[in-house]
Amino acid sequence: MKQSKKILILSFLTAIIFSSCKKDFLNKGIPQDALTTATFYQTAAELKMATAFLYSKPWFDYNYPFSYDIGELQSGNIVGYIYSGSTSNDFTNFDIPSNSSDTKYGWSSLFNVIANSNVTMLNIEQVAPASLGAAKTSAIGEARFMRGIAYFQLVQIFGPVPLIADNNTLAFNPNLRANVIPDVYRFIINDLRYAAANLPLTNDPGRVTQWSAKGLLAKVYLTRAGISGTRAQADLDSAKFFATDVAENSGLNLMANYADVFLTKNNNNPECLFGLQWTVDPSAQYGNNDERQTFIEGDGTIAGDGGSWGGLRISADLAKLYSASDLRRKATFMQNGDTYPELISTAHPTGYTMTDTTSLYIKKYVTGGPLANNGANITAQHNNIPTYLLRLSDVYLVLAEATLGNSASTTDPTALLYFNKVHVRAGLPAVTSLDFQTIFTERRLELAGEIQFWFDIKRWHDYNPAAANAFVMAQHRNMASYATGDANYNDVLPVVTGITDNYSDTYTNTQGSKNNWTMQYPAADVTGDPLLTLPPVPYYK
Amino acid sequence: MKKKLPEQKLKKLFSILCLLLIVHLNALAQTHRITGRVTADDNSPLIGVTVRIKGGTVGVPTDVKGTYYINAKVGDVLVFSYVSYQTKEVTVGDNPTINVTLSNSSSNLNEVVVIGYGTSKRGNLATSVGSISSKDIAIAQPTTFDQALQGRVAGVMVQTSSGQPGGAISVLVRGLGTFGNASPLYVIDGVIVPPGNQSSTGGVFLGNNPITDNPLSTINPSDIASIDVLKDAAAIAIYGSQGSAGVVIITTKRGKVGPPKINFDGYYGVQKVTKQIPMLDLQQYAEFLDTKAAIQGGVILPGFANPEYLGAGTNWENELFKSSGTYSANLSVSGGDARTTYLISGNYFNQDGIIIGSNFKRESFKVSLDNKTNDWLRLGTNLTISGINENVNSSQYDVIDAAYNLTPDIATKNPDGSISFPVGFQGSYNPNPIAAAALNTNQIERLQIFGNIYADILFTKDLTLHNELTEWFDYGNVNQFFPSLTINTSQTQSSAYVNSANNKSYTFRNQLTYNHTLPNDFNVNVMAAHEATAGVYTYLSGGRTNFVANDPQGLSLGSTTSATNSGGTSNNANESYLGRASLNYQGKYLLQASVRDDGNSNFAAGHRWVTTYGLAGAWDAGKENFLKNDIADQIKFRASYGLTNNANIPQYQYGAAIALQTVGLGEGAQPENIANPLLQWETSKEVNLGLDLGFLKDRIQFTVDAFLRKTNNLLQTDPLPLYSGDTGTGYLGAPTVNVGSIQNKGLEFSLNTRNISGTHFTWSTTITATLLNTKILSLVSNDAFITGIIDNGAVTATRSAVGGDIGEFYGYIAEGVYKNGADLANSAKPAGVAVAPNGTWVGDVKYKDLNHDGVIDQNDQTYLGSPTPKVQYGINNTFTYGNFDMTVFFNGNYGNKILNYELVKHGDPNGGANYFSSVLNYARLGLVNPNGSATDPNNVYVINANTSVPAIRTSGDPNTAISSNDIESGSYLRLKNLQIGYKLPVAWLNKWKVSSLRVYVSSTNLFTITKYTGLDPEVGDPLISSKGGGAEVTGIDYGHYPNPRFFTFGFNVGL
């Protein structure tokens, strides 16, 4: 080969070697199938997408089973069934292991809401153009509402918790100490006051409004009132102020029929001030669905959607509390002989009739399968009824309780007016005077199955621990049975099998010694963050 | 491209090389034609021996008669080289005929070692490189080639992650030096498979767990000619950032000059589980439950009143494990003439698992072609196409654990033939693993193509330009179907999911090599190259539920309202400039320097480019005149130092992507992680000191390497507390950060001896051993640690802290049980729990009060051992006697611990499901005064006081914490391979025109000596699953798919 030819080839190949790369070669690391936080949040529609996420997936692990563990099992409204495993019994018996995975999931889920709310509000503040105006502040208000309500759950369940306002900072400076309870409440109130000032009066169905924030503020103030051991009048007044504002100025009213509130066709009816939002869209990722029905229904053929875990059961303690004329009873649980014409499934073409004489099934949030819900794509663990965390009737009863305050009884006309709206709708005669027990029982019956009752007992315990303890000790925390013709519900004696052992008719709990009025932090964070179990510190200097 | 100084440097270097090229274009001097015959010791002709003039690159092969012709000048030195024969040099004199006899060599000094972008003789290495040959691979009979590395290369630790045929394997070169992916870089005939690269089917969720399959399971081990492992930083440096955890270079077989050779290898094997864990049989189970009911005040289950009348019930392990067959057939044709060589091979491999619902099939086809087009051009290609088909039902559903969860009173089938389930069980998943394996479809299929084409231009005999394009295609399909079935009263929904993905990458490589020998045998070898890699991964998946019927199962037969789909694409790119210079003076003094500049798209602009370098030197004192003698052949001291860099993180961690999804309120946007724009390369600095000794004409060869590696700026997902919101559903991903440093140090030995080298009897031994020590030097702070959480986040099992190893087990020290009231009163107890039968009670596990504060709490936890072996070793002995040969290969681990998590679950009398028989040793409580109170602790004592198993309690179970009771020694010694072969005498074979025939019997995992009570002490890396996975949770036995025992019969035929 000629030398010149070689040199020619050589030069040519040299050119290839040193010029092969295009300029964008290494920018291939920027995803081409995803948006990035640096460029999102540009339009009002994009801000709505950003906040829509906060109503769904981050709450998933809280939604079930943890919220039922706390709100229903620990409060004695609901008990486990023999095949639903021993975790239910742990909460019924206040015997929760430090490494409970339910606790871990509940804790991390609420903090997921906080983390996502934080990053969303910060991104919106930094990236969204100021020209979006109210859309921008309203979106931040939604995120702050979410953070506020997540902290409200946390402080009621765990007591002192670390306050996190910026997860970017946390990521590079982890290991926080818990903050004292009064500061947690102050943090929550700051968030909700911002939300109340910036959220619109009305919003898309399911999204929070100013009234959601004010209703929740009322409840937060009512709860904060007692944390020092005696109820602070200033907080009771604030609770009454915000509850009255919602009751009188929101223009919202209770639905005529209690049972209708929990039908999927009435999802996000005006009575519902805040609910976690779920979807049955087949393309939705797991975690944006409501999985409760599959776990709580007493009979897998009710939904007929291919999955059932044996369900939970109504406790004798709750069942015995309903008067025969209370319309809420059938909407809350099923007993032998009840028929629900709307619960149509292949197995029950004319509606479901309950025939089990050995236990009581949960009805609230058991909405059936596709045939009962206009063909919706309801499958095992996939339902779309919102998890209502704040209803108008709740706010009405907060109004009554705040008005009663430290008095033994009240005949305040506003309090009576709104209390009776709830009471009379249930098919019961109006009352003329309110005392603590009346309101406490009314809240339990109105909100049974809505993961609220434990917080009511806890709120009571804050300023009257002896009474709350005695109340829990006396509860019939076991299954109830009902056969046609029975005069009342019967306690079910323990069904001991190889699988479960914790049923006990004469319940004696040990919550005094185990300090279960606030739960232990999950073991993973106790070992992971040695500072967490040190005495809590103030957040506000 | 904005940068870069190194590029300019390389350009300069390149110009110099161009000048050199011109200088050395000189004409050939007057030459003669030399001829001769090359034979082996037994006077048989050697075909394909390369004959070349020393210092030149052009060689000629010998033909079928062993004859060669070459043009040479008087005074030239002819070099005769042939694989596994000693190279011979003869100086050309006046005689035009030169006949040569080559002796078979077991010396590895002349062995060609692939060092990346070039080759070297082992004798000329200054860096640390370990190798195995096709012979070693053949003995190991591996399903996937990586299994063959186990115990055979010092410094390489291999543990199977699953005994599932074709399952994932963890290969660690010189220990774990990162929290990220620590698997090595694989280079298969120039195709770069980056560390941690998932196969096209990997990561897809099937059932409970994502698929973690072996991306290289498509490679047919019998196509491999050699595997070379680059170990020290100086050796790795040439691969730059991608090779920071070591480089495994696989060279496949190519044709040799000679008449067509047809080889057929086949074997058939039977495999079986080696061990079962004794479980309670029906009678024992009933007795146990009756006892429990008596203690707990429960009722006796129907049918359990008289256990003595019950039979053994169902033994779920017997139902699960089966013996199964393996068949392998491999046909190859190779040969070639002086201009073109070729090799074509085809392989079929079929292995059924020892657990129902698992099998692995592979079909592969390979062709390689090398052509010497003319005196300045070489062209060639290498193409491998292979397909695998795997049934992964068993590994996706934790079947072993599922079997342990089923009790002996459940029949495998109902009398009418239908599937049986635990009484009262409701749910939408199938708890019966036998039925699940039979009914569900969990199939993965992959088609993979590895290929390269190259063109070498020989400008002069010294200067070569190698241009190469490699392509890698990986097409995968996942197909799963769960039929609708009736579980007690509930009807489950049928569902199907399919995923189709393809993974493509290409590399374009230009490499200029200048190799010149100056007078006095002073060799200079300089290489400069540019390499650009780009890859794209795309996938499309869909699912449906509610099928018309369970069969047929086509996706479109599911209900349309349930239809889901998703898809996406991702890209990666890497561009590098690299160079290496090696100086070799008479094989006595060796010096090598390499440098590589990498840009990686995983980092933000400004942090993208990094330089990797390595320096190595060696001195062979054995070649010095003052030491030259007949005993020592080689006394080589090696030293190297290098800096390597690692970018093994998910892409775009320097920013944050938004995931769009359907949520309750319509379309929702989720920020995926916290961005870290400051993210930079993880860097490792490594020093290696080595000594190679060869004695008695290399009858004894000994190599020892000592290394110290320090890795800084560890890339890891920020280990944040749960309250940062970085776990669970809807989490906000923690940022990837550069935090901490790790030190790895170790010693590697390998000893080859030819103990007996007689005419009829030979015996040789190879021993390799790796000693490793890993220490975390720093984390966020000195008292920081990373917790390893397992079992759905419920259990903290390990802690990685400054000063310790990665993933050390962490928990309490158990000291038996509380023996009586006095023991209970005098020992530390958990705080806040009453002394009572349902609180802390006699018969509970007594944990050691390490801090002597009188209370058992989290502060009494301590380190319970490391899952990393202190030593991993292999001992191979090969014997030949006449036509017989025998190989005995032992391997083992020493000094590691295993968390036997199945024991935690099934060895606790207060736990659920079925129990290991060891549970029967539970603490039996007796009353001091039989008429006294059973709730007075002073009246209660443990009858079998020395037991470590707690008592049956009236309620609750405080004995579930991870403790020393659950940590077992993972040391083992295993007869990994035993093979006995017989070569049929040639005289017999000639009749059938067969040139060679060898038959053999072989056994793998024949026996294992270990104290470990689980199924298999080789636990390794757990598969990533809902139970947890990653560097911080290794060595945990969750019902690990055990390695089976194999017996095979096989033969090799040559035509």
Side-chain angles (χ1 to χ4, degrees), chain A residues 371-438:
Chain A
L371 294 177
N373 293 282
N374 204 17
N377 181 40
I378 293 168
T379 57
Q381 298 179 54
H382 288 71
N383 200 352
N384 64 354
I385 186 163
T387 305
Y388 299 120
L389 293 181
L390 188 68
R391 285 198 296 116
L392 194 57
S393 52
D394 189 351
V395 178
Y396 286 175
L397 296 173
V398 166
L399 169 56
E401 192 178 333
T403 308
L404 175 70
N406 290 313
S407 322
S409 66
T410 183
T411 52
D412 180 277
T414 317
L416 278 171
L417 169 68
Y418 288 104
F419 179 90
N420 279 326
K421 282 193 182 211
V422 176
H423 197 63
V424 171
R425 177 173 70 165
L428 303 168
V431 299
T432 53
S433 169
L434 295 170
D435 60 12
F436 173 79
Q437 202 56 52
T438 313

Side-chain angles (χ1 to χ4, degrees), chain B residues 523-715:
Chain B
N523 180 271
V524 179
N525 187 311
V526 181
M527 183 274 295
H530 169 263
E531 185 176 278
T533 299
V536 59
Y537 170 83
T538 45
Y539 78 100
L540 181 64
S541 66
R544 289 196 185 190
T545 61
N546 266 338
F547 280 68
V548 177
N550 285 338
D551 200 39
Q553 304 181 340
L555 188 64
S556 47
L557 297 171
S559 92
T560 47
T561 53
S562 68
T564 61
N565 60 69
S566 66
T569 179
S570 66
N571 291 280
N572 62 77
N574 202 332
E575 183 178 12
S576 312
Y577 295 89
L578 57 136
R580 175 172 56 212
S582 310
L583 303 175
N584 174 354
Y585 182 70
Q586 297 180 345
K588 223 188 279 181
Y589 308 108
L590 307 161
L591 203 59
Q592 181 196 298
S594 31
V595 62
R596 177 161 172 146
D597 204 28
D598 286 298
N600 191 296
S601 56
N602 283 349
F603 302 104
H607 295 285
R608 273 191 190 142
W609 286 87
V610 76
T611 303
T612 301
Y613 61 82
L615 270 173
W619 171 44
D620 189 350
K623 288 206 167 73
E624 298 287 357
N625 287 333
F626 58 87
L627 273 171
K628 236 176 199 169
N629 57 46
D630 288 341
I631 298 168
D633 314 303
Q634 188 188 33
I635 309 170
K636 188 164 88 176
F637 299 93
R638 288 181 281 111
S640 77
Y641 174 77
L643 170 90
T644 57
N645 305 281
N646 183 356
N648 291 336
I649 46 170
Q651 65 174 8
Y652 200 56
Q653 292 298 299
Y654 65 87
I658 295 245
L660 291 185
Q661 55 194 293
T662 306
V663 298
L665 294 174
E667 192 89 355
Q670 173 187 18
E672 290 191 336
N673 60 285
I674 291 175
N676 180 7
L678 301 176
L679 206 59
Q680 54 173 316
W681 294 82
E682 178 178 297
T683 59
S684 300
K685 290 172 183 166
E686 184 177 349
V687 177
N688 188 81
L689 296 174
L691 175 64
D692 300 316
L693 299 173
F695 296 110
L696 304 171
K697 298 225 176 292
D698 290 328
R699 276 184 74 160
I700 301 171
Q701 290 165 22
F702 177 72
T703 291
V704 55
D705 276 286
F707 70 91
L708 178 68
R709 179 175 67 198
K710 197 177 158 190
T711 307
N712 288 319
N713 288 332
L714 290 174
L715 281 170

Side-chain angles (χ1 to χ4, degrees), chain B residues 1002-1024:
Chain B
S1002 173
S1003 174
T1004 304
N1005 303 325
L1006 190 58
F1007 66 82
T1008 304
I1009 300 169
T1010 181
K1011 285 183 185 155
Y1012 182 62
T1013 62
L1015 289 175
D1016 183 355
E1018 199 182 328
V1019 172
D1021 230 352
L1023 301 172
I1024 308 281

Side-chain angles (χ1 to χ4, degrees), chain A residues 1 6 13 20-21 26-27 32-33 35 37 49 56 61 99 112 116 167 171 176 282 288 306 308 496 525 527 529, chain B residues 299 426-427 459 465 491 530 561 564 569 571 575 601 608 656 658 661 664 669 718 722-723 725 727 729-730 785 794:
Chain A
M1 182 169 62
K6 285 186 182 178
L13 288 164
S20 65
C21 290
L26 291 173
N27 280 328
Q32 279 138 53
D33 57 350
L35 304 160
T37 52
M49 287 162 74
S56 293
D61 291 334
N99 61 5
N112 286 353
N116 280 292
N167 284 71
L176 300 177
N288 290 313
S308 170
V496 176
D525 272 1
T527 46
D529 174 8
Chain B
V299 293
Q426 296 193 56
F459 296 111
L465 180 69
Q491 181 76 21
H530 169 263
T561 53
T564 61
T569 179
N571 291 280
E575 183 178 12
S601 56
R608 273 191 190 142
I658 295 245
Q661 55 194 293
D718 203 356
L722 298 175
Y723 57 70
T727 57
T729 314
F785 50 80

